[in-house]
Structure formats: C-alpha cells, structure tokens
Amino acid sequence: MFMTLLAGVLATLAVLRAGPAAAAEADAPRSMTIADLKALPPDVVASAPSVRIRGVVTRSRPGAMFVQDDTAGIYVNVAVAHDRGLWPGPRNAVPANAGDEVEIEGT
C-alpha cells in the first residue's frame, strides 16, 4: 500500500539558485534519503525549505510512526504535524501501518 502523507519532518535542504523559475523550483520539496536528512547542518535546517523522504513504516502508534529507508530511520510525529496544520487527519491518527510504504513531505 502506498500513501502520501504530509508531516512536519523537522529538517531541510538548502537550495541556492536565482530567478523566478528557480525560486518556484526551490519551493518544491527536494527528495533525499533519511540519512542525508539527518546529516544536514544546523544552518541548513534553520533555512527550512521543503523536503521529501520515502520509506517503509517499521512501527506506528497513535500520533506517530517510525519510517526506514535503505540508509536510516526517522521518527515522524503526526500529532505535531496536525498541530502545525500539515496533517489534515485526526491528531492521534495512525496514518500508516507497519509495512506500508510512505512518502512524507515537510519542513
């Protein structure tokens, strides 16, 4: 099962470009591995552009889940995403089950 989720993944990717077309491109989520996401330096994280990760849910519970790709794993707090207006479902939802492949976009 494949699901697209909107969640508040607290990390970012800096994109340095110029011009209106590049600005629109810079606003589009950038796909990256979970290991790359976790390795971003603090100054890049502070700039907060959108990122996209893809992986498999290894564990889920109300309001949260763990997602793993071939490089690393990450905790996704769905309750925080809900509070920030990024997740339209219930705050304590279980948005995916163990074994589900998910794509998550956030800042």
Side-chain angles (χ1 to χ4, degrees):
M1 178 177 173
F2 183 82
M3 302 177 81
T4 299
L5 304 173
L6 212 55
V9 179
L10 300 178
T12 59
L13 175 66
V15 179
L16 302 174
R17 298 184 187 250
E25 185 178 319
D27 289 340
R30 303 296 297 214
S31 293
M32 58 190 341
T33 67
I34 293 173
D36 289 342
L37 180 72
K38 292 171 96 173
L40 292 173
D43 61 322
V44 174
V45 172
S47 67
S50 295
V51 297
R52 178 184 301 122
I53 60 169
R54 186 178 212 161
V56 175
V57 175
T58 57
R59 184 163 190 250
S60 63
R61 61 186 177 107
M65 64 184 163
F66 291 88
V67 178
Q68 178 91 31
D69 67 8
D70 291 338
T71 65
I74 195 165
Y75 176 80
V76 178
N77 191 323
V78 177
V80 169
H82 175 272
D83 293 348
R84 292 181 180 175
L86 300 170
W87 168 251
R91 186 177 197 281
N92 287 320
V94 178
N97 297 308
D100 289 345
E101 184 177 45
V102 295
E103 184 174 86
I104 302 171
E105 296 176 6
T107 56

